[in-house]
Amino acid sequence: MKILAFAGSLRTGSFNKSLLRASKELAPEEMEIHIFDLEGIPLFNADVEEEGDPERVTAFKESIRTADGILIASPEYNHGMTGVTKNAIDWASRSAKDAPISGKPAAVFGASPSVTGTARSQDQLRQSLKSVNVRCMPQPEFLLFRAHEKFDSQGNLEDLSSQKFLKKFLQACSNWVKSFE
Ligand code: FNR
């Protein structure tokens, strides 16, 4: 099972990027997670699209198209998803008639230093994914709150209960994706 994963943060030390790396390690055997770094994806512009997708966008859309499912680590800015996350969805939703993201099973999760742990950004993201016909896993939800206490300085997820729950979450993702085979 091939899962395309991306984090809506460009930061080198991003908790959400670290969460994806931890997921790669803790995923069930059948799940192969490929992380796509959104660095280099330009802001969506229909004029640019008309001239032909930029190379990085083509690569992103192709990796979504060939994946069995999608995993999105969604940081939270100002009680919503980041512009980076939304911009990625916008590109992946084009063309309207042949959108690579349409119909894909997906799961969202996220990490934040706050106590609300990306609850609001995940809600907003789910709403947006609905509009592009993505089959988003409803439960379980995974919110890594007080993320700065859960990773070590190298970005390794060292908190044992978070590791345990992440494993459960990823197994649920696998089951969710399988249910659409
Ligand atoms: C934040 N942050 C934040 N956190 C949160 O839980 N709710 C929020 O509304 C916001 N708002 C917000 C706005 C802006 C502009 C910034 C820069 C930050 C904190 C945010 O969760 C934190 O910077 C994370 O570390 C971002 O995710 P990455 O980059 O670590 O993946």
Side-chain angles (χ1 to χ4, degrees):
M1 176 188 300
K2 204 171 146 194
I3 301 295
L4 189 274
F6 64 89
S9 172
L10 304 178
R11 217 163 66 81
T12 311
S14 159
F15 293 125
N16 287 279
K17 285 184 180 177
S18 298
L19 188 56
L20 289 185
R21 284 194 297 272
S23 302
K24 227 173 136 74
E25 279 172 30
L26 299 174
E29 221 168 83
E30 69 275 13
M31 190 186 259
E32 207 181 286
I33 297 180
H34 298 264
I35 300 174
F36 192 100
D37 194 322
L38 295 177
E39 184 69 54
I41 300 280
L43 283 178
F44 180 80
N45 178 336
D47 294 339
V48 172
E49 183 190 39
E50 212 172 294
E51 285 166 19
D53 285 346
E55 213 175 294
R56 191 82 186 126
V57 171
T58 304
F60 179 55
K61 286 166 78 169
E62 198 47 34
S63 19
I64 291 182
R65 211 179 283 284
T66 55
D68 299 306
I70 303 164
L71 182 61
I72 307 175
S74 174
E76 181 169 303
Y77 282 179
N78 299 319
H79 294 183
M81 73 180 113
T82 61
V84 173
T85 306
K86 181 61 164 56
N87 188 53
I89 308 277
D90 292 344
W91 277 115
S93 70
R94 303 286 293 171
S95 67
K97 279 191 185 146
D98 187 29
I101 206 167
S102 178
K104 292 283 174 185
V108 305
F109 62 164
S112 151
S114 79
V115 288
T116 49
T118 72
R120 294 169 173 120
S121 84
Q122 288 195 39
D123 264 357
Q124 200 189 46
L125 175 56
R126 283 169 194 277
Q127 192 185 336
S128 202
L129 290 173
K130 196 164 65 169
S131 83
V132 293
N133 193 33
V134 168
R135 281 87 180 248
C136 208
M137 182 172 78
Q139 291 290 336
E141 291 179 307
F142 185 100
L143 305 101
L144 194 68
F145 59 95
R146 299 192 67 82
H148 54 294
E149 295 173 358
K150 315 274 167 67
F151 293 99
D152 68 15
S153 58
Q154 306 300 308
N156 300 306
L157 184 63
E158 59 177 4
D159 181 66
L160 292 180
S161 64
S162 302
Q163 284 181 17
K164 203 170 152 192
F165 188 57
L166 183 55
K167 271 190 188 172
K168 272 193 185 170
F169 173 81
L170 292 166
Q171 185 59 63
C173 293
S174 172
N175 298 344
W176 179 252
V177 173
K178 264 186 232 152
S179 72
F180 291 95
E181 273 173 4

